[in-house]
Amino acid sequence: MSITQEYLKKRLYYNPETGEFIWRERKAVNGGVAHLKIWNIRYAGKEAGAIFVNPKNTTGYRNIGIDYKSYPAHRLAYLYMVGEFPTHLIDHIDRNGLNNKWDNLRPATPSQNCANSIPPKNNTSGYKGVSFVKASGKYHAYVTVNRKRKNLGLHTTAKEAAIVVNKANREIFGEFARINAIS
């Protein structure tokens, strides 16, 4: 069972300007006070959650445990602000998974979320969407849309291929496009 916006707001305060979740003080129900006093001393007024680092993402994400279930903080921010859990992914505009400021979060399809990613660590061309093809001695340009690679041709230089990739990314992904810096 998922939590509701109302329940989340009873447990936590979300500051949309800083992206932090702060534990609220808990009140005793039916006289059970001792364990709540200890909990309040330890947690109330402090930032909630723990940082989990995924090897694919160097910054990681903050997860918050509520009633023995772990939730990504960016998804809780959406619930807190909108009133329902997102049915889609939540993209961090600046690609920093720890920056949960409301103006840094936006709903995204899986394809849009991938469009706003950096080149993989094994990339040798220096540009996202560009790879060297030994057989031809040229650079292959491509974009990935909905897990399908769209071929943008072979080019003499990595820079030429990156320019073609940038144009396609802008057309396909708009504000989600991660544009290669061309030097």
Side-chain angles (χ1 to χ4, degrees):
M1 183 172 103
S2 290
I3 61 173
T4 64
Q5 181 191 44
E6 179 185 8
Y7 186 75
L8 176 62
K9 287 185 174 186
K10 284 181 183 176
R11 294 293 184 141
L12 294 159
Y13 166 73
Y14 170 67
N15 182 334
E17 292 178 18
T18 65
E20 292 179 325
F21 277 93
I22 305 297
W23 287 113
R24 293 188 186 273
E25 187 173 304
R26 293 188 183 174
K27 308 258 189 270
V29 180
N30 298 332
V33 182
H35 71 285
L36 285 180
K37 186 175 182 181
I38 293 168
W39 191 95
N40 285 332
I41 290 168
R42 188 176 289 164
Y43 299 108
K46 296 186 175 100
E47 187 173 11
I51 297 169
F52 291 93
V53 178
N54 179 330
K56 293 180 181 179
N57 181 330
T58 56
T59 60
Y61 294 96
R62 180 171 292 278
N63 282 354
I64 299 172
I66 301 173
D67 295 339
Y68 306 104
K69 185 168 182 195
S70 184
Y71 299 91
H74 53 278
R75 294 182 70 76
L76 288 178
Y78 190 90
L79 171 62
Y80 196 98
M81 298 296 286
V82 176
E84 61 188 22
F85 269 108
T87 55
H88 36 260
L89 298 175
I90 299 298
D91 180 53
H92 291 82
I93 296 168
D94 68 359
R95 293 175 305 284
N96 177 351
L98 296 174
N99 181 358
N100 292 310
K101 295 177 185 174
W102 184 242
D103 64 1
N104 188 50
L105 303 176
R106 61 186 171 188
T109 66
S111 201
Q112 289 169 326
N113 198 38
C114 288
N116 187 31
S117 65
I118 59 174
K121 290 180 182 176
N122 63 354
N123 177 298
T124 56
S125 72
Y127 299 109
K128 183 177 178 185
V130 177
S131 61
F132 183 70
V133 180
K134 271 187 185 177
S136 65
K138 295 192 177 200
Y139 291 87
H140 177 226
Y142 61 91
V143 293
T144 303
V145 182
N146 297 325
R147 296 185 179 174
K148 293 192 172 135
R149 197 175 267 199
K150 182 177 177 181
N151 181 13
L152 302 175
L154 293 174
H155 305 273
T156 308
T157 67
K159 183 177 178 179
E160 288 173 10
I163 290 168
V164 171
V165 169
N166 283 351
K167 183 176 185 275
N169 276 332
R170 280 189 192 99
E171 290 172 3
I172 296 167
F173 298 111
E175 68 180 287
F176 289 88
R178 165 100 166 124
I179 302 303
N180 289 305
I182 309 290
S183 51

